[in-house]
Every structure is written in structure tokens, then in C-alpha cells.
Amino acid sequence: MSQSSARHRRRRIYPVLGAGAAAGVFIILLRSCGAESEPEPPHPTELGFPAAPQQEHPVVNEEAAGPGEVPITELVDPEWVSATADRTGIPERAVQSYGGAAAHLAQTDPDCGLGWNTLAGIGEVESHHGSYGGSSIGEDGVVQPPIIGVPLDGSEGLMEIPDTDGGELDGDEEWDRAVGPMQFIPTTWEQYAQDGNLDGETDVHQYDDAALAAAHYLCTHGEDLSTDRGWNDAVAAYNQSAEYARDVAGHAERYLSDE
């Protein structure tokens, strides 16, 4: 979740910075306006940020056990997954992950209000749903070849983030890089990593793990993603750019069903 505006193969790179490195714009404003006598902070749209797209929730699998008891892909109805993939053009395996992560949060943090389409909007902007650079998602949810961003070395349009993990996650011992289909940097992954497929490991390149981590990250930074301020707080924590938020919102709206 970054401030980057550099282009690589005509794609805008938006790596995940994480808590502390990119605090939400509107959270900052709210905290700075805590006194009752002070005016409310500007509405997100007044600052060029979008109105929150409708949050669409997946059709759940009523026969599945609860979250944490089964892989997240089993939380969503298979027919919904297939129909949504056909309708949107998103790879079915990615839809399973987005839908499963949203279904998991709907049960564990219902006040967040996260829709699968916001996760899909981020996945489109960050990695074209795991297909950037010729990569693809396997049946096991692992994206191959791995998607690894450019070094965050302070070049034009990039933040400067010296290596934090000895290159363990991103293979770079000099600079941090964003990694995986949802583009996490090492420090954010260390804090928010999830085991979405319940294989006993957290793998930034595995779509269930990455989507569930992104869902937790968003819900941590946005109180209610059905509101303009809550949604933009969450997405601004991913990337503070209003352009980024508009891109994500546009995709999220495009993925909504007609029903």
C-alpha cells in the first residue's frame, strides 16, 4: 500500500505499505478534529476521493462450517462463484478467494461491511487478479510466477523503504518490494498474514491467504466500509492516493451484479 505513481509496463504500481507507514487520510483528519468546537473534517469527495461503492456480499454456502473451521473458499456458494466469474471475467479461483474472505469477515467482523467487490477492485489494480506479467493462479490458489514489485528505493514516484526482512519475503536484501497478488510489503505481511486455506502456513503468493490478509487490513483501518468515510479510510491505508481510490472504486462498481 504505497504512494507510488511509477509505471511499469503501463501498469501503475501500488504496493502495500501498511499500518504506520500510510495512516488513513481521513483517520488523521478525524483525530485532528476531536474537539467538539472544531469543524468536521472535509467529506472525502471534497478532497477528490470517491463515494463508497456499494458493498456486495457473496452468496454463502449454508452447509459450510464456520470461519476458521474450513478454508475460506468453502464459505461461498459454488454456483455464485461460477456465475460471478462468468459475469465479470475475473478468474474463478480469484473470485473464490475474494468471496471467501468477505464471507469470513462478514461473520467475524460484521460491522466492517466489507464486500467481495472491494477486494476484487484492489486485486484488479494491484495485479490484474494475479495475471500481471504473465502470471496465473493455480488450482491451489498459488500465483506463479510470483509477482514481485519494483524496489522501493526512493526513485521518482516511489517511497524509500530500506530492506526490513533480509530479503526473506521479496528476495531483495537492499530494498523492500511489494509481493503477491495483493501486493504486500514485508512489514505489512508480517503483521496481517492469514492462513485462508488452512494448510498451516501463511503464503503471500497464495490467493486465499493474501485476500484474507487484505480483508483484515481493510477492516482494521475502516470502521464501516459501507460509508464514504469508512471506505476511504480503509483504502487510503492501502494507498493514500485519491487516484488509487477512484480506480479501486470504479472496478468495485463495475463488478456489482445487476440484481
Side-chain angles (χ1 to χ4, degrees), residues 10 37 81 83 91 99 123 162 172 188 195 205 214 227 232 245 258:
R10 300 181 67 184
S37 60
V81 170
D172 191 332
T188 310
D195 181 10
H205 301 290
T227 67
N232 279 290
D258 296 330

Side-chain angles (χ1 to χ4, degrees), residues 59-67 69-78 81 93 96-97 99-101 103 107 196-198 208:
V59 176
V60 299
N61 178 4
E62 299 291 352
E63 298 179 359
E69 298 179 44
V70 295
I72 63 171
T73 55
E74 295 186 21
L75 298 176
V76 286
D77 179 73
V81 170
R93 189 62 185 78
Q96 284 184 309
S97 299
Q107 296 183 56
N197 62 348
L198 298 186
D208 306 332

Side-chain angles (χ1 to χ4, degrees), residues 62-254:
E62 299 291 352
E63 298 179 359
E69 298 179 44
V70 295
I72 63 171
T73 55
E74 295 186 21
L75 298 176
V76 286
D77 179 73
E79 292 185 4
W80 174 85
V81 170
S82 180
T84 300
D86 288 344
R87 176 176 59 79
T88 62
I90 300 173
E92 188 167 317
R93 189 62 185 78
V95 173
Q96 284 184 309
S97 299
Y98 299 141
H104 185 283
L105 267 293
Q107 296 183 56
T108 59
D109 187 6
D111 291 339
C112 172
L114 173 67
W116 79 273
N117 54 317
T118 285
L119 289 170
I122 290 174
E124 167 62 40
V125 173
E126 296 292 351
S127 72
H128 302 321
H129 308 300
S131 68
Y132 178 66
S135 294
S136 61
I137 315 168
E139 291 184 5
D140 59 359
V142 177
V143 175
Q144 292 286 355
I147 298 174
I148 300 178
V150 298
L152 299 174
D153 58 5
S155 300
E156 183 178 357
L158 294 171
M159 292 196 72
E160 182 176 319
I161 307 180
D163 174 64
T164 59
D165 70 335
E168 182 177 351
L169 189 72
D170 55 17
D172 191 332
E173 297 182 1
E174 183 176 5
W175 304 101
D176 271 352
R177 298 173 181 241
V179 181
M182 302 302 279
Q183 289 287 277
F184 286 94
I185 63 168
T187 50
T188 310
W189 181 252
E190 180 181 10
Q191 185 175 358
Y192 289 93
Q194 299 289 320
D195 181 10
N197 62 348
L198 298 186
D199 67 350
E201 301 179 358
T202 56
D203 181 357
V204 72
H205 301 290
Q206 204 280 335
Y207 231 110
D208 306 332
D209 293 0
L212 188 58
H216 277 278
Y217 184 87
L218 291 167
C219 286
T220 297
H221 291 84
E223 291 185 0
D224 180 356
L225 272 66
S226 68
T227 67
D228 294 343
R229 196 175 301 280
W231 190 88
N232 279 290
D233 277 345
V235 176
Y238 225 101
N239 187 292
Q240 288 187 355
S241 164
E243 181 183 2
Y244 177 88
R246 292 194 299 269
D247 283 349
V248 172
H251 292 299
E253 289 171 350
R254 182 163 58 87

